[in-house]
Amino acid sequence: TTNINWRSNVSIPSVSEEVWKNPWHPLKGPPRNYAEQELLSEHIKNEKAVMQNALSASASAKRELERAAADNCADLAYEYQRCVTKGGMDAYTGVCFKMNERLVECMAIQSRNMERLGFLSPKPMTYSQRLALVDRADDMYLQEM
């Protein structure tokens, strides 16, 4: 069976109840011969692969969300980068620091809005649907500000 991770909406496999009752699952007890040992090793290898795939999918979805949030905050990132590279008094008086705070806040709000709108939903979306969702998240951010 699978569950949905509440933070990323990526489906993750559940651990069988049998595993908690019997650590040698799918066997009844410790392997007694080579064939049982091979069966147990194969079962463990398959479970490990399923878990690694779920973790990989979750991390990939999170990176995609962060990229979309960064795209929506590109104007603030540009202002901050210009402030830092331009130098001068702004870099020393905390103006750049405040710009960076605004950028970080923008990305957090954008990410939150996209998650609420279903950006990380396991159901497939077309590129145009995903783009519309990202634009809607940006509109929500602008209304909040």
Side-chain angles (χ1 to χ4, degrees), residues 55-87:
L55 287 173
S56 172
S58 177
S60 174
K62 234 15 182 168
R63 280 191 303 273
E64 194 175 335
L65 175 79
E66 289 168 0
R67 269 194 303 270
D71 287 347
N72 276 359
C73 300
D75 54 336
L76 296 175
Y78 175 75
E79 287 176 14
Y80 171 68
Q81 189 63 34
R82 229 177 78 204
C83 183
V84 170
T85 57
K86 182 180 74 168

Coordinates of all heavy atoms in Angstrom, one line a residue, residues 55-87:
L55 N 11.9 8.4 -2.3 CA 12.7 9.6 -1.8 C 13.1 10.4 -3.0 O 13.1 11.7 -2.9 CB 13.9 9.1 -1.0 CG 13.5 8.6 0.4 CD1 14.8 7.9 1.0 CD2 13.0 9.6 1.3
S56 N 13.6 9.8 -4.0 CA 14.0 10.5 -5.2 C 12.9 11.4 -5.8 O 13.1 12.5 -6.2 CB 14.6 9.5 -6.2 OG 14.9 10.2 -7.4
A57 N 11.7 10.8 -5.9 CA 10.6 11.5 -6.5 C 10.2 12.7 -5.6 O 9.9 13.8 -6.1 CB 9.4 10.6 -6.7
S58 N 10.3 12.5 -4.3 CA 9.9 13.6 -3.4 C 10.9 14.7 -3.5 O 10.6 15.9 -3.6 CB 9.9 13.1 -2.0 OG 9.7 14.1 -1.1
A59 N 12.2 14.4 -3.6 CA 13.3 15.4 -3.7 C 13.2 16.2 -5.0 O 13.3 17.4 -5.1 CB 14.6 14.8 -3.5
S60 N 12.9 15.4 -6.1 CA 12.7 16.0 -7.4 C 11.6 17.0 -7.4 O 11.7 18.1 -8.0 CB 12.6 14.9 -8.5 OG 12.3 15.5 -9.7
A61 N 10.4 16.6 -6.9 CA 9.3 17.5 -6.8 C 9.5 18.7 -6.0 O 9.1 19.8 -6.4 CB 8.1 16.7 -6.2
K62 N 10.3 18.6 -4.9 CA 10.6 19.7 -4.1 C 11.5 20.7 -4.8 O 11.3 21.9 -4.8 CB 11.3 19.2 -2.8 CG 10.8 19.6 -1.5 CD 9.5 20.2 -1.4 CE 9.2 20.6 0.1 NZ 8.1 21.4 0.2
R63 N 12.5 20.2 -5.6 CA 13.4 21.0 -6.4 C 12.6 21.8 -7.4 O 12.9 23.0 -7.7 CB 14.5 20.2 -7.0 CG 15.6 19.9 -6.1 CD 16.8 19.3 -6.8 NE 16.5 18.1 -7.6 CZ 16.5 16.8 -7.1 NH1 16.8 16.6 -5.9 NH2 16.2 15.8 -7.9
E64 N 11.6 21.1 -8.1 CA 10.8 21.8 -9.1 C 10.0 22.9 -8.5 O 9.9 24.0 -9.1 CB 9.9 20.7 -9.7 CG 9.3 21.2 -11.0 CD 8.5 20.1 -11.7 OE1 8.7 18.9 -11.5 OE2 7.5 20.5 -12.4
L65 N 9.5 22.7 -7.3 CA 8.7 23.7 -6.6 C 9.6 24.9 -6.3 O 9.2 26.1 -6.5 CB 8.1 23.1 -5.3 CG 7.4 24.2 -4.4 CD1 6.0 24.4 -4.9 CD2 7.3 23.7 -3.0
E66 N 10.8 24.6 -5.8 CA 11.8 25.7 -5.5 C 12.2 26.5 -6.7 O 12.3 27.7 -6.6 CB 13.0 25.2 -4.8 CG 12.7 24.7 -3.4 CD 13.8 23.8 -2.8 OE1 14.9 23.6 -3.4 OE2 13.7 23.4 -1.6
R67 N 12.4 25.8 -7.8 CA 12.7 26.5 -9.1 C 11.5 27.4 -9.5 O 11.8 28.6 -9.9 CB 13.0 25.5 -10.2 CG 14.4 25.2 -10.3 CD 14.7 24.4 -11.6 NE 13.9 23.2 -11.8 CZ 14.3 22.0 -11.4 NH1 15.4 21.8 -10.8 NH2 13.5 21.0 -11.6
A68 N 10.3 26.9 -9.4 CA 9.1 27.7 -9.8 C 9.0 29.0 -8.9 O 8.7 30.1 -9.3 CB 7.9 26.9 -9.8
A69 N 9.2 28.8 -7.6 CA 9.2 29.9 -6.6 C 10.3 30.9 -7.0 O 10.0 32.1 -6.9 CB 9.3 29.4 -5.2
A70 N 11.5 30.4 -7.3 CA 12.6 31.3 -7.7 C 12.2 32.1 -8.9 O 12.5 33.3 -9.0 CB 13.9 30.6 -7.9
D71 N 11.6 31.5 -9.9 CA 11.2 32.2 -11.1 C 10.2 33.3 -10.8 O 10.2 34.4 -11.4 CB 10.5 31.2 -12.1 CG 11.5 30.3 -12.8 OD1 12.8 30.5 -12.6 OD2 11.1 29.3 -13.4
N72 N 9.2 33.0 -9.9 CA 8.3 34.0 -9.5 C 8.9 35.2 -8.7 O 8.3 36.3 -8.7 CB 7.1 33.4 -8.7 CG 6.1 32.8 -9.6 OD1 6.1 32.8 -10.8 ND2 5.0 32.2 -9.0
C73 N 10.0 34.9 -8.1 CA 10.7 36.0 -7.3 C 11.9 36.5 -8.0 O 12.8 37.1 -7.4 CB 11.1 35.4 -6.0 SG 9.7 34.9 -5.0
A74 N 12.0 36.3 -9.3 CA 13.2 36.7 -10.1 C 13.5 38.2 -10.0 O 14.7 38.6 -9.9 CB 13.1 36.3 -11.6
D75 N 12.5 39.0 -10.0 CA 12.7 40.5 -9.9 C 13.4 40.9 -8.6 O 14.4 41.7 -8.6 CB 11.4 41.3 -10.0 CG 10.3 40.8 -9.0 OD1 10.4 39.7 -8.6 OD2 9.4 41.6 -8.7
L76 N 13.0 40.2 -7.5 CA 13.7 40.5 -6.2 C 15.1 39.9 -6.1 O 16.0 40.5 -5.6 CB 12.8 39.9 -5.0 CG 11.4 40.5 -4.8 CD1 10.7 39.8 -3.7 CD2 11.6 42.0 -4.5
A77 N 15.3 38.8 -6.8 CA 16.6 38.2 -6.9 C 17.5 39.1 -7.7 O 18.7 39.3 -7.3 CB 16.5 36.8 -7.5
Y78 N 17.0 39.7 -8.7 CA 17.8 40.6 -9.6 C 18.2 41.8 -8.7 O 19.4 42.3 -8.8 CB 17.1 41.0 -10.8 CG 17.8 42.0 -11.6 CD1 18.9 41.7 -12.4 CD2 17.4 43.3 -11.6 CE1 19.5 42.6 -13.2 CE2 18.0 44.3 -12.4 CZ 19.1 43.9 -13.2 OH 19.8 44.9 -13.9
E79 N 17.2 42.4 -8.0 CA 17.5 43.6 -7.2 C 18.6 43.3 -6.1 O 19.5 44.1 -5.9 CB 16.3 44.1 -6.5 CG 15.3 44.8 -7.4 CD 14.0 45.1 -6.7 OE1 14.0 45.1 -5.4 OE2 13.0 45.4 -7.4
Y80 N 18.5 42.1 -5.5 CA 19.4 41.7 -4.5 C 20.8 41.5 -5.1 O 21.8 42.0 -4.5 CB 19.0 40.5 -3.7 CG 20.0 39.9 -2.8 CD1 20.4 40.6 -1.7 CD2 20.6 38.7 -3.1 CE1 21.3 40.1 -0.8 CE2 21.6 38.2 -2.3 CZ 22.0 38.9 -1.1 OH 22.9 38.4 -0.3
Q81 N 20.9 40.8 -6.2 CA 22.2 40.6 -6.8 C 22.8 41.9 -7.3 O 24.0 42.1 -7.1 CB 22.0 39.7 -8.1 CG 23.2 39.2 -8.7 CD 24.0 38.3 -7.7 OE1 23.5 37.6 -6.9 NE2 25.3 38.4 -7.8
R82 N 22.0 42.8 -7.8 CA 22.6 44.1 -8.2 C 23.1 44.9 -7.0 O 24.1 45.5 -7.0 CB 21.5 44.9 -8.9 CG 22.0 45.5 -10.2 CD 21.0 46.2 -11.0 NE 20.8 47.6 -10.3 CZ 19.7 48.3 -10.4 NH1 18.7 47.8 -11.1 NH2 19.6 49.4 -9.9
C83 N 22.4 44.8 -5.9 CA 22.8 45.5 -4.6 C 24.1 45.0 -4.2 O 25.0 45.7 -3.8 CB 21.7 45.3 -3.6 SG 22.1 46.2 -2.0
V84 N 24.2 43.6 -4.2 CA 25.5 43.0 -3.7 C 26.7 43.3 -4.6 O 27.7 43.6 -4.1 CB 25.3 41.5 -3.5 CG1 26.6 40.8 -3.2 CG2 24.3 41.2 -2.4
T85 N 26.4 43.2 -5.9 CA 27.6 43.4 -6.8 C 27.9 44.8 -7.0 O 29.1 45.2 -7.2 CB 27.2 42.8 -8.2 OG1 26.0 43.3 -8.7 CG2 27.1 41.3 -8.1
K86 N 26.9 45.7 -6.9 CA 27.2 47.1 -7.0 C 28.0 47.6 -5.9 O 28.8 48.5 -6.0 CB 25.8 47.9 -7.1 CG 26.0 49.4 -7.2 CD 24.6 50.1 -7.3 CE 24.1 50.1 -5.9 NZ 22.9 50.9 -5.7
G87 N 27.8 47.0 -4.7 CA 28.6 47.4 -3.5 C 28.1 48.7 -3.0 O 27.0 49.0 -2.9

